[in-house]
Amino acid sequence: MTTTAPRPTRTVLSPPPAARPARSPRRIAFSHTLSRWDFKLSPYLYISPFFILFAIVGLFPLVYTAWVSVHEWNLIGGQGDFVGFENFAFVLAQPQFWIALRNTFSIFLISAVPQVIAALLIAAVLDRNLRGKTFWRMGVLLPYVVAPVAVALIFSNMFGDQYGLINNMLGRLGLDPIGWHSEILPSHLAIATMVNFRWTGYTALILLAAMQAIPRDYYEAAMIDGAGIVRQFFSITIPQLRPTLIFVIVTSTIGGLQIFDEPRMYDQFGQGGASGQWMTITIYLYNLGWGQLNFGRAAAVAWLLFLIIVIVGLINLAITRSIASNDSPEKVLARAQRRAARKELAR
Amino acid sequence: MTTSRRTTAAAALAGATAFALLATGCASTDNAASSEDGEITLTIATFNDFGYTDELLAQYEDENPGVTIVHNKAATSNDARDNFFTKLGAGSGLADIEAVEIDWFAEMMQYSDKLTDLSSDDVADRWVDWKTDAATDADGRLVAYGTDIGPEAVCYRSDLFAAAGLPTDRAEVAELLEGDWDRYFEVGQEYVDASGAAWFDSAGATYQGMINQVEFAYEQEDGSVIATENDEVKAIYEQVLEASATQSAHLGQWSDDWFAGLANGAFATMLCPGWMLGVISGNAPDVTGWDVADVFPGGGGNWGGSYLTVPAQGKNTEAAAKLAAWLTAPEQQLSAFEAAGTFPSQVEAYESDALLSATNPYFNEAPVGEILINRSQAIDVAPFKSVKYFPINDAMQKALTRVDSDKTHTIESSWEQFVADVNALG
């Protein structure tokens, strides 16, 4: 309680307490906060073009499609009455929607699974010391340069039912011709072939880039420990590729579920076959929106497809995480060390 | 708070830049379309081959100083249809003159208020009646000028006919096939028995010729759908598929196999609208046996044909209408016929010597002008095509394909699927 004496002088000498803290910090703070803003906000500013563009070309269409899907909407007549979830109910009640869903998943599985496996193997081979490295690496990317429509035109010709190259060759071998355009599974195989032709090299190059970033010490250590090539591949390469594998699998899922060019160019009508043998969801969407000019229903299909992709993407992510994290190289090395230690003890 | 204000400002700036770019983009096209001194650019969008050669368009430019014509061609009528409806709905982006095919013409007529009224005394009696009637909307506005029509004849392979012991001369073939569709399939069975090869290309193409002779196939005049209950449709469907079992080459029309079949003699006859002659000679240039006979089962029939329209969203609708009228005048349509084989829909053209004396060297010097004039005079039914015609016919073509080329369904089960498809259009 000794502070009683100086208090009155302070109150007399100093300006009103309300004004003082406000004035002097302001002078310091302007340049100060400016630099603090610069530090904190500039990064956001630099990446903002992406988000602004995304809002215009990504988010807005997404929201607008949702708006269209709850209305009656004609391609030309435009907006009609609000119908709630009627468009969704209609689409879900159509056997065609479920056929399209079946085809989409079937083509996706037939194309994506062998594609990632083949790309992994190709990348592993390219990762070794080959003669003419660049030649081989560019070679696998070559099909990617060809436009998908051109690929589809060539392949659909090769897969012709009566005069196609492939059925001709089967005939030479004494086999029965296959109904590439009339049966369900053969048509899926043919379309998956086009997809794989175009995308395997691209996927392989991405995986190759990731493989080259794996520290060579791991392999040396494993080699000294006596691990063969196969063991190295499964215990070092694959776990180290985890983030890249997740990326490749997620993008190929999105691409696979949205597949459009190849099935559309597969026959002359582009509607997925007379009984919808290879009608994918995007083709169904196109038939509704541009064939029947019914945008409301097409928008409902678009949203359903979006939800399906999100769900499948999450499932994929979960599976890839659990597969890849079991065998991290640290654990492998630790295990190798333990084994070595045991051998040492036994001696 | 400061964070969001600054990013909003940045967003606004970026947005403004984007819109400024868009705006300048739009502005520059505006300038191109009509500049101060009366110079105008007219765009015309067609598909396949209308026979509008650069020389023909240059002739118009010479006669009308200040007009520049830009001609855009789409590959197929389907591409043109998608483009047309998308931009008609958007309200901008269409060419000053847009070509429209008869198959989706009825769909377009629903939106005839988005097109310019083209009626004038100069063109009142220019076309055959049914061509003009179809292009006149409920308010009596003529919204489209007819270009060509597709009167149907029968194309045949004279070499294959000879091998099977059938006559080869086109007059004798016409006599042989004279009659109804029963007669056509009867001769077909004789040919199949003699040669072991196919008589016609596909069930779908043959059906198209048959259904084009039915006035009310899928819809009644009030627009109600009768496709699934119409006995006439079902009878044709069954007749063509029963014949297909032995006589069809099972080739889906326009498929790769079908084009290969045109050249390798997979079938002996096919239905031939005028514009099909160009398709055959273009895709089987090395075959010498194709010929065309002046006959069509069940009378006459029209398959295809197009119109020119002037969308109201255009900036120079008056000048565009003038160009469209010029292009569809008999003289210009005759030069289009010479260039691409598109048979005129203009009455006056039928008197012209150029058309009457036209022959086609590929089809063994057949007098195609004379044959097609006769075939167009034989047309006595103008099928009623309302808004659902195109999707229903599409479902029907799929039903035929399932039985004819896919062989995945029976006649009966494919019909049931057709009924379900039509009901799902609702």
Side-chain angles (χ1 to χ4, degrees), chain B residues 157-403:
Chain B
R157 284 283 295 266
S158 56
D159 49 342
L160 298 180
F161 267 45
L166 293 175
T168 56
D169 180 72
R170 67 179 73 89
E172 286 173 51
V173 172
E175 208 172 304
L176 176 76
L177 293 175
E178 188 60 48
D180 55 10
W181 288 96
D182 290 335
R183 176 71 190 150
Y184 177 72
F185 293 129
E186 213 175 272
V187 179
Q189 198 55 48
E190 280 172 35
Y191 171 82
V192 171
D193 292 342
S195 68
W199 173 243
F200 55 84
D201 52 344
S202 83
T206 310
Y207 173 89
Q208 204 63 44
M210 298 167 84
I211 204 69
N212 277 335
Q213 294 174 335
V214 180
E215 190 169 6
F216 295 99
Y218 305 138
E219 299 151 303
Q220 278 175 323
E221 237 163 323
D222 59 3
S224 58
V225 173
I226 51 165
T228 54
E229 298 113 56
N230 193 344
D231 292 336
E232 216 174 340
V233 171
K234 188 156 191 203
I236 293 176
Y237 167 82
E238 284 171 351
Q239 187 185 12
V240 72
L241 282 179
E242 276 157 19
S244 290
T246 52
Q247 300 178 19
S248 165
H250 310 297
L251 301 164
Q253 197 173 27
W254 312 116
S255 68
D256 293 337
D257 279 348
W258 184 79
F259 282 114
L262 269 183
N264 70 12
F267 45 89
T269 64
M270 63 187 285
L271 307 183
C272 251
W275 45 265
M276 187 69 88
L277 300 172
V279 175
I280 297 177
S281 56
N283 286 284
D286 303 327
V287 179
T288 51
W290 279 111
D291 206 328
V292 52
D294 185 3
V295 68
F296 195 71
N302 177 68
W303 185 352
S306 301
Y307 289 90
L308 295 183
T309 64
V310 177
Q313 56 176 253
K315 293 240 180 328
N316 301 303
T317 50
E318 219 167 287
K322 195 175 155 213
L323 173 59
W326 184 82
L327 279 172
T328 54
E331 303 80 39
Q332 278 66 250
Q333 189 58 44
L334 280 172
S335 46
F337 174 72
E338 276 164 38
T342 46
F343 187 76
S345 60
Q346 293 81 350
V347 186
E348 205 183 297
Y350 302 156
E351 320 271 295
S352 123
D353 280 341
L355 185 63
L356 277 166
S357 60
T359 57
N360 191 325
Y362 178 86
F363 291 89
N364 196 18
E365 296 293 343
V368 285
E370 192 191 322
I371 292 177
L372 291 173
I373 290 175
N374 287 342
R375 288 295 96 216
S376 73
Q377 278 159 0
I379 300 171
D380 48 8
V381 178
F384 175 76
K385 299 184 178 181
S386 185
V387 291
K388 288 265 162 57
Y389 189 92
F390 185 78
I392 294 176
N393 198 48
D394 204 41
M396 172 53 88
Q397 286 293 338
K398 285 182 185 163
L400 294 163
T401 304
R402 283 192 290 267
V403 182

Side-chain angles (χ1 to χ4, degrees), chain A:
Chain A
M1 300 304 125
T2 48
T3 47
T4 31
R7 196 186 275 162
T9 42
R10 211 169 85 187
T11 42
V12 173
L13 285 175
S14 49
R20 194 188 177 170
R23 192 189 286 162
S24 55
R26 187 200 267 161
R27 213 180 295 146
I28 307 162
F30 187 66
S31 61
H32 181 70
T33 41
L34 207 64
S35 75
R36 216 182 55 221
W37 286 354
D38 185 36
F39 182 72
K40 283 197 165 171
L41 300 181
S42 291
Y44 294 101
L45 193 64
Y46 297 147
I47 57 166
S48 63
F50 168 77
F51 289 98
I52 292 160
L53 272 181
F54 174 75
I56 296 172
V57 302
L59 203 61
F60 170 72
L62 208 63
V63 175
Y64 192 66
T65 306
W67 173 251
V68 172
S69 72
V70 290
H71 288 84
E72 252 177 37
W73 204 294
N74 184 280
L75 179 61
I76 297 149
Q79 189 174 357
D81 298 334
F82 176 83
V83 293
F85 286 97
E86 218 171 85
N87 286 327
F88 288 89
F90 175 87
V91 166
L92 289 173
Q94 291 297 306
Q96 288 206 315
F97 174 79
W98 299 101
I99 290 176
L101 194 64
R102 175 201 70 189
N103 293 343
T104 306
F105 273 94
S106 165
I107 294 175
F108 161 60
L109 287 176
I110 299 178
S111 61
V113 175
Q115 186 194 119
V116 173
I117 294 174
L120 254 179
L121 294 176
I122 293 171
V125 171
L126 289 178
D127 192 29
R128 310 205 73 81
N129 275 321
L130 295 174
R131 270 171 203 278
K133 261 186 223 163
T134 318
F135 172 77
W136 295 114
R137 285 176 193 174
M138 285 297 101
V140 295
L141 196 63
L142 210 56
Y144 183 71
V145 180
V146 187
V149 172
V151 174
L153 282 176
I154 294 165
F155 275 73
S156 66
N157 197 312
M158 279 168 57
F159 283 108
D161 281 23
Q162 291 198 27
Y163 308 115
L165 181 71
I166 296 183
N167 272 353
N168 269 349
M169 293 196 320
L170 288 179
R172 293 254 169 84
L173 296 172
L175 298 170
D176 284 338
I178 293 173
W180 296 111
H181 283 80
S182 57
E183 288 167 49
I184 295 168
L185 203 58
S187 67
H188 293 185
L189 268 175
I191 290 168
T193 311
M194 298 179 211
V195 177
N196 289 345
F197 170 78
R198 200 171 126 75
W199 287 97
T200 309
Y202 173 81
T203 312
L205 273 203
I206 290 183
L207 292 173
L208 174 65
M211 277 182 194
Q212 302 209 316
I214 302 174
R216 299 284 132 172
D217 320 6
Y218 292 166
Y219 291 102
E220 284 164 20
M223 225 164 349
I224 291 166
D225 286 339
I229 289 178
V230 177
R231 184 68 205 270
Q232 284 175 26
F233 181 72
F234 282 105
S235 297
I236 298 175
T237 311
I238 290 197
Q240 283 294 307
L241 286 181
R242 199 182 99 183
T244 317
L245 271 179
I246 292 177
F247 168 78
V248 162
I249 290 174
V250 167
T251 49
S252 76
T253 305
I254 295 173
L257 294 181
Q258 292 183 341
I259 182 169
F260 182 75
D261 290 358
E262 287 86 355
R264 174 138 172 88
M265 299 301 297
Y266 189 52
D267 78 348
Q268 69 274 33
F269 302 113
Q271 299 186 359
S275 29
Q277 298 99 311
W278 64 92
M279 179 181 66
T280 59
I281 293 202
T282 47
I283 298 270
Y284 182 53
L285 188 160
Y286 187 87
N287 289 350
L288 283 179
W290 281 265
Q292 302 179 12
L293 307 181
N294 193 328
F295 252 38
R297 286 174 190 168
V301 175
W303 255 89
L304 288 170
L305 177 62
F306 175 68
L307 294 178
I308 291 166
I309 290 178
V310 168
I311 293 168
V312 175
L314 289 177
I315 294 173
N316 263 341
L317 199 66
I319 295 176
T320 347
R321 275 220 170 117
S322 72
I323 289 177
S325 57
N326 284 341
D327 277 307
S328 67
E330 288 77 16
K331 281 188 197 161
V332 176
L333 287 175
R335 244 185 324 216
Q337 276 160 5
R338 274 201 305 275
R339 257 203 310 272
R342 269 201 304 276
K343 271 185 201 159
E344 198 76 13
L345 280 175
R347 217 188 280 167

